[in-house]
Structures are given as C-alpha cells and as structure tokens.
Amino acid sequence: MLGVIVLAHGSRDPLWRAPIESVAQQIARGDASAVVSCAYLELCEPDIATAARQLVAQGATRIRVLPLFFGMGKHAREDLPQRMADLGAAHPGTAFELLPTAGEDPRLTALLAKIALETTA
C-alpha cells in the first residue's frame, strides 16, 4: 500500500497549515487506496517520524515524501536525507522515496508563472 507524507517546514500559526493540508486532501482524493499524512520539520506536529509510524501502522509498505520547499536549502540538502535514512532504519520492511522539492518541479514553476501573468477580472 502506498503512503504519502506531505512535508513542510512548520509554523506556530495554525492558519499556515491549511495549504499543506489541502495538498494532502487532494492526494487522498486522487488515490483513495493511498494513506496520506502531513508532517513538519519543526514548530508543529506531527514530525516526519511520527507520520511515517502512523502510515506504517495503517499498512503502508511504500512511502513517498513530498517536500513542500521551494528551493534546495539546507533542510532539503542535509536534513531530509538524514531523516530518510533514519526512517529506513526504523522501518526496514518499508520502502521510502524522497521526491524532489516542490520548487524543483518545472510544472510548478510554470504554473506559478502562469498565475502571475493571468488577468483577473
């Protein structure tokens, strides 16, 4: 079973989470057989280890991590590979895949450019 973790930095402001949770909801609607969770690096819960543990408990045997970071900063370059290694060690029967950061996807950058150039009525 596929599990997906939508990973973001985190914020103390509860309204900040709404777009991250929206992405998770859209993933769940797109594949009803997948189990989906949000996770945060800091400032709010759950963290990535907790989210992975919950997905494994729900039957996920393959977990994809989607980092909602626009650039390839220190978190994406250094912290995430270490956390992915930790997840693999904690759940040896589960395959983990770290997807590129959202900002590295040319479809997203093209969409943002399109949004910037749209005329609003």
Side-chain angles (χ1 to χ4, degrees):
M1 174 190 298
L2 174 64
V4 178
I5 296 174
V6 180
L7 180 67
H9 186 272
S11 171
R12 289 181 184 89
D13 184 341
L15 296 177
W16 176 90
R17 296 170 65 132
I20 289 80
E21 292 169 357
S22 177
V23 171
Q25 291 164 1
Q26 291 183 50
I27 293 167
R29 281 194 302 271
D31 184 349
S33 67
V35 289
V36 184
S37 178
C38 295
Y40 306 95
L41 289 178
E42 56 189 35
L43 305 173
C44 52
E45 298 289 327
D47 63 13
I48 193 171
T50 302
R53 192 168 42 255
Q54 291 168 347
L55 295 181
V56 169
Q58 293 176 61
T61 56
R62 183 170 59 103
I63 296 177
R64 301 180 89 199
V65 177
L66 173 62
L68 294 186
F69 301 123
F70 199 70
M72 180 54 96
K74 180 181 180 298
H75 286 311
R77 260 191 340 270
E78 298 174 17
D79 300 338
L80 287 182
Q82 180 58 55
R83 292 187 189 193
M84 293 297 289
D86 294 345
L87 293 176
H91 305 281
T94 304
F96 288 91
E97 177 185 3
L98 178 61
L99 299 172
T101 63
E104 293 177 282
D105 190 322
R107 294 169 297 178
L108 177 62
T109 54
L111 176 60
L112 292 171
K114 180 180 175 183
I115 291 168
L117 295 172
E118 282 179 348
T119 304
T120 57

